[in-house]
Amino acid sequence: MRLKDKVALITGAGSGIGRQAALLFSREGAAVLVVDVNDAGGNETVAMVKQAGGRAAYCHADVSKAGDCQGMVAAAEKNFGRLNVLFNNAGIMHAKDDDAISTDEAVWDLTLDINAKGVFLGCKYGIPALRRAGGGSVINTASFVARLGAATPQIAYTASKGAVLAMTRELAVIHARQNIRVNALSPGPLKTELLMSFLDTEAKKQRRLVHVPMGRFGEAEEIARAALFLASDESSYITGTEFLVDGGLTAAYVTPE
Ligand code: NAD
């Protein structure tokens, strides 16, 4: 088992990547604190983990709120005794996120609050818990859009993920000698609720796929497998990096026939 006796906190675990990571991490021996604002989804993830014989508990927390982030870290330590893995994965892609001219300030603020400040707050309260446990691994979900101009504009989302990458590098350097590794995980376009509701027409989907050499959307489970590697001691000399899991998207200039 690759996460035997570890305790993992996963934000946004009521759906998509977070849910698949909760299932996989628990299969590999971790106890998982499932965090979300969607209580039905979060509780369903916990039920799925338990049904598979794993250990999990649910905590409602909005990652853009300091008190909630403090509460989720306390819940991990209260339920399972410590925290070893912090997966800051929750994020939104707002339906009205567009180019700079047409995106409302409120959409910008909400997106940056959840996607960027949420990672900061997760670390603000989670890193002291990792230190109490003698060290650990932090994984921050970024995105390929932090590196490339996206074909479908989403200015706030893109900016928020750039912030996640920059924060990850600084966190990694600052906490390296405390036995804490911090890495970013950048998925390519995935077949999850988040992207499929944003790319809401077949034409938009195909426009995105033009750029993916593999010619398909990724699955949440494929990202969870990469997260497992970063969470486990197998990645013990890896910190401050960006793990791209994108079907070749960022390597491509033109897509092969
Ligand atoms: P998803 O929508 O399936 O899951 C995101 C989860 O986060 C949901 O359960 C949602 O309720 C939760 N959430 C939203 N706001 C929250 C908040 N304020 N506090 C706590 N939880 C909150 O999406 P996903 O595809 O699994 O996305 C997970 C992460 O991956 C996000 O950070 C997203 O930006 C990133 N990502 C996704 C894609 C993609 O194509 N789907 C690509 C690159 C990066």
Side-chain angles (χ1 to χ4, degrees):
M1 286 211 215
R2 296 161 74 185
L3 293 178
K4 194 171 181 317
D5 299 330
K6 305 264 193 202
V7 176
L9 185 164
I10 306 176
T11 67
S15 156
I17 297 170
R19 169 174 288 174
Q20 292 306 319
L23 289 165
L24 185 58
F25 286 16
S26 77
R27 280 208 300 277
E28 293 292 338
V32 181
L33 190 81
V34 170
V35 173
D36 212 290
V37 283
N38 173 356
D39 296 343
N43 282 311
E44 198 179 312
T45 300
V46 170
M48 290 166 82
V49 168
K50 288 186 173 165
Q51 200 173 11
R55 285 199 302 154
Y58 176 64
C59 176
H60 175 102
D62 177 343
V63 297
S64 68
K65 297 198 165 81
D68 285 16
C69 287
Q70 206 168 3
M72 74 187 182
V73 172
E77 290 186 314
K78 182 165 173 276
N79 277 278
F80 304 118
R82 65 190 173 282
L83 183 66
N84 307 109
V85 176
L86 172 65
F87 189 4
N88 290 310
N89 167 72
I92 60 159
M93 190 182 278
H94 200 285
K96 293 200 169 140
D97 193 358
D98 204 309
D99 60 24
I101 300 159
S102 39
T103 300
D104 288 345
E105 197 179 338
V107 170
W108 170 275
D109 287 346
L110 180 65
T111 303
L112 271 288
D113 274 359
I114 295 171
N115 294 9
K117 190 164 91 173
V119 171
F120 156 64
L121 290 173
C123 291
K124 183 175 177 62
Y125 298 106
I127 287 179
L130 296 178
R131 290 175 68 170
R132 286 193 282 278
S137 173
V138 179
I139 305 153
N140 298 325
T141 307
S143 169
F144 71 95
V145 301
R147 307 188 130 235
L148 301 169
T152 317
Q154 41 187 181
I155 190 75
Y157 184 82
T158 300
S160 74
K161 294 303 186 180
V164 172
L165 281 190
M167 265 193 288
T168 298
R169 285 188 286 264
E170 179 171 310
L171 288 159
V173 171
I174 297 302
H175 299 288
R177 297 199 182 193
Q178 297 155 13
N179 199 28
I180 293 170
R181 299 182 298 105
V182 188
N183 291 290
L185 178 53
S186 285
L190 306 180
K191 211 190 293 167
T192 66
E193 183 59 31
L194 178 128
L195 187 65
M196 293 303 107
S197 52
F198 183 74
L199 303 178
D200 55 359
T201 65
E202 193 51 33
K204 284 188 195 168
K205 288 189 179 68
Q206 290 308 322
R207 176 144 175 66
R208 187 57 59 91
L209 281 179
V210 164
H211 302 278
V212 184
M214 284 190 181
R216 66 170 176 87
F217 291 105
E219 301 288 343
E221 204 200 328
E222 294 177 300
I223 307 303
R225 287 202 291 265
L228 171 62
F229 172 68
L230 292 174
S232 77
D233 295 339
E234 289 163 20
S235 56
S236 53
Y237 198 52
I238 300 178
T239 197
T241 57
E242 180 192 10
F243 194 166
L244 280 156
V245 185
D246 67 354
L249 190 153
T250 48
Y253 178 60
V254 287
T255 302
E257 289 301 314

